[in-house]
Each structure stands twice: as structure tokens, then as C-alpha cells.
Amino acid sequence: MRVTIRSMSEEAVWQALACVPDPELPVVSVIDLGMVKSVSVDHRVARVELIPTFLGCPALGWIADKVRAALAEQGFEAEVAFALDVIWDPSRITPDGIDKLRQMGVAVPVKSDAAPVACPYCGARDTDIESLFGPTPCRAVYYCRACRQPFEAMKP
Ligand SMILES: [Zn+2]
């Protein structure tokens, strides 16, 4: 029985985490981004290990606060740690997350892709990086020659 109770509370933690948005791309949650490394629950204490998307990215403290708040709503006391032994890269983004980002016009480079990033609007690979300095340290601005639109992509 203990196992059942435990997995139910872990499930509650995952559900709460699914409501924690990325501060820069609020359509995706920390789960969509593949940022959750592990969850463990001991009585009412939930330990969550997150993989920082980019060490240079601001707002890690903001995310930790949101995770604590979301878990507090479920009655958990949260211990949030950032895993520094795992390097996050865009291949951790879930298929759901990739869809949501594409709908927002943000391309996600996939490791197996050949160098050009596919345009999120028309799918063409006739794209060029326009600026490494996108609106945030995590994103770069690209230009699609096929549909002549600029778009953003997560930095690979
Ligand atoms: Zn295009």
C-alpha cells in the first residue's frame, strides 16, 4: 500500500510541475522543456531536481519559486535543487513542447538535423541565422528565405 500512496503523491507532484511555465516561453511548462530530472516524495516533502535550461539563463530562482508555490498548493513542502551534472540541450524538449513552441513560431533544433534549422512556419530549411543575440540569451533570430519571415530558435 505504501508504494501506491507514494506513487500517487509523485503523480501529484508531476501534475503540479506541468503547471509551472517557463518564464520566457510561458506556453511550455518545465516538463515540456525536459527540465525535470527527478521527483521524489517523502511524506509531505517533495524533492525536485531541475536541469537548468542554460546556465546563462536568468530566472532560475524564479522557476524554483514557482515550483515551490505550485507544490505548496498541493500541500507539499518542496525542496528544489538544480542538477549541475546534466547538461540540458533542446533534445530534452518533449514532442508536446516542440509542438507548442512551433505554434508560437519558435523553432527547436534537433540534434540529428543537418545544420540549417527548419522554419517553424513553412518547414523550409532554407534558413539563415540572422543574429545570435535574440530576445533572450537562450534564443537566436533566424530568417527564412522561403517564406521571408524572421523566426526565433532555441540555441542548439
Ligand atoms: Zn519559412
Side-chain angles (χ1 to χ4, degrees), residues 119 122 144 147:
C119 169
C122 69
C144 174
C147 67

Side-chain angles (χ1 to χ4, degrees), residues 118-124 126-127 143-149 151:
C119 169
Y121 301 113
C122 69
D126 191 9
T127 59
Y143 179 77
C144 174
R145 277 187 285 251
C147 67
R148 299 191 179 150
Q149 285 207 70
F151 64 92

Side-chain angles (χ1 to χ4, degrees), residues 8-142:
M8 273 173 64
S9 36
E10 278 181 18
E11 186 54 36
V13 171
W14 283 101
Q15 275 172 18
L17 291 173
C19 302
V20 177
D22 179 79
E24 292 167 0
L25 299 162
V27 291
V28 287
S29 72
V30 291
I31 291 178
D32 292 327
L33 285 174
M35 286 181 69
V36 181
K37 185 187 173 198
S38 67
V39 166
S40 64
V41 179
D42 188 8
H43 299 284
R44 300 314 288 173
V45 178
R47 286 188 192 82
V48 178
E49 219 181 345
L50 298 175
I51 302 163
T53 44
F54 288 88
L55 288 176
C57 256
L60 291 181
W62 185 94
I63 292 175
D65 284 349
K66 289 285 172 191
V67 167
R68 277 186 213 104
L71 292 179
E73 262 176 44
Q74 304 299 318
F76 292 104
E77 194 184 309
E79 288 178 8
V80 182
F82 285 97
L84 299 177
D85 56 330
V86 182
I87 309 289
W88 184 89
D89 73 65
S91 68
R92 295 190 69 92
I93 300 176
T94 65
D96 253 14
I98 290 173
D99 274 354
K100 290 181 196 165
L101 288 170
R102 193 177 290 138
Q103 280 162 24
M104 266 187 80
V106 177
V108 178
V110 180
K111 262 189 180 164
S112 58
D113 275 5
V117 174
C119 169
Y121 301 113
C122 69
R125 286 184 186 274
D126 191 9
T127 59
D128 238 349
I129 191 155
E130 200 161 71
S131 166
L132 269 175
F133 304 98
T136 75
C138 313
R139 283 178 281 162
V141 177
Y142 284 71

